[in-house]
């Protein structure tokens, strides 16, 4: 099956700092989503981004499908940004394959 | 904003017991899914469901698992005889059509003792 690799696995940020999370995938995909899993376990949709760049407040994402990677940018991080960020790719018939996630901790 | 709802939010069950997890997908969505996440691990696909039948299932989804859409709104996951290793967060998800954004419910945390 398809491989989805996320880096870095763990990240500690000072509040106000910027960061970039990376997602590499091993095969062509139909689309890609970024999720934020909050401390209560909820998976919050951040971006649906099969290609190109999107922005939502302090977050933005870029997917370069031809090179099989996506980036999630967090600017001016806040403590509420803490949690696990998952990249998930839509491939094959009808399923999402998730990466192992980026564990982000933002400290005040 | 419409959302996927799941019940119960948390269930503790004894090994060997049957468990039914319930989901109400977003009303105009046609594709339904179950995923699970063992504590500290990544989210894993279990099964997809479309047009009242399973369209795809993973190797995890063995004979002890089944899904059903008993009426026009509910979508259920049944685990026939739970094992300790079934302890996990189970997520229901739905989308309008294949290739579109998938929306996840808040999850049902299952603890098997």
């Amino acid at each position: 099956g398809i491989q989805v690799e996320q880096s870095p696995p763990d990240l500690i940020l000072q509040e106000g700092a910027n960061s970039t999370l990376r997602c590499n995938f091993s095969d062509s995909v139909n689309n890609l989503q970024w999720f934020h899993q909050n401390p209560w376990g909820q998976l919050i949709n951040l971006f649906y981004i099969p290609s190109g760049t999107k922005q939502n407040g302090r977050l933005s994402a870029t997917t370069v499908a031809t090179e099989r990677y996506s980036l999630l940018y967090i600017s001016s991080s806040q403590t509420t940004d803490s949690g696990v960020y998952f990249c998930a790719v839509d491939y094959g018939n009808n399923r999402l394959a998730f990466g192992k996630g980026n564990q982000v901790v933002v400290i005040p | 904003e419409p959302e996927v709802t799941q019940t119960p939010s948390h269930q503790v069950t004894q090994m060997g017991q049957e468990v039914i997890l319930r989901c109400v997908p977003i009303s105009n969505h046609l594709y339904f899914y179950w995923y699970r996440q063992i504590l500290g691990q990544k989210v894993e696909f279990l099964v997809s469901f479309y047009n009242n039948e399973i369209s795809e299932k993973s190797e995890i989804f063995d004979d002890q698992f089944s899904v059903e859409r008993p009426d026009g709104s509910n979508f259920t996951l049944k685990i026939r005889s739970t094992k300790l290793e079934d302890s996990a967060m189970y997520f229901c998800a739905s989308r309008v059509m294949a290739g579109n954004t998938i929306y996840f419910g808040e999850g049902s945390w299952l603890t098997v003792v």
Side-chain angles (χ1 to χ4, degrees), chain B residues 36-68:
Chain B
R36 81 169 185 191
Q37 184 182 30
I38 294 170
L39 186 63
Q41 298 188 22
K42 67 179 181 180
V43 180
E44 300 173 293
F45 169 78
L46 290 179
V47 66
S48 59
F49 192 87
Y50 170 72
N51 201 23
N52 284 319
E53 61 182 22
I54 291 174
S55 53
E56 195 173 0
K57 59 184 180 180
S58 72
E59 56 280 359
I60 303 169
F61 193 88
D62 61 23
D63 291 344
Q64 69 161 342
F65 291 93
S66 62
V67 290
E68 195 176 37

Side-chain angles (χ1 to χ4, degrees), chain A residues 31 33 37 48 90 94 96, chain B residues 33 35 37 56 95 99 102:
Chain A
N31 68 62
Q33 289 182 237
Q37 187 167 42
Y48 169 86
D90 198 339
N94 195 11
L96 285 183
Chain B
Y33 307 85
Y35 287 78
Q37 184 182 30
E56 195 173 0
R95 60 179 166 182
I102 288 184

Side-chain angles (χ1 to χ4, degrees), chain B residues 87-106:
Chain B
S87 294
M89 178 80 98
Y90 288 81
F91 291 103
C92 175
S94 70
R95 60 179 166 182
V96 171
M97 55 191 296
N100 277 30
T101 304
I102 288 184
Y103 295 89
F104 282 78
E106 294 186 350

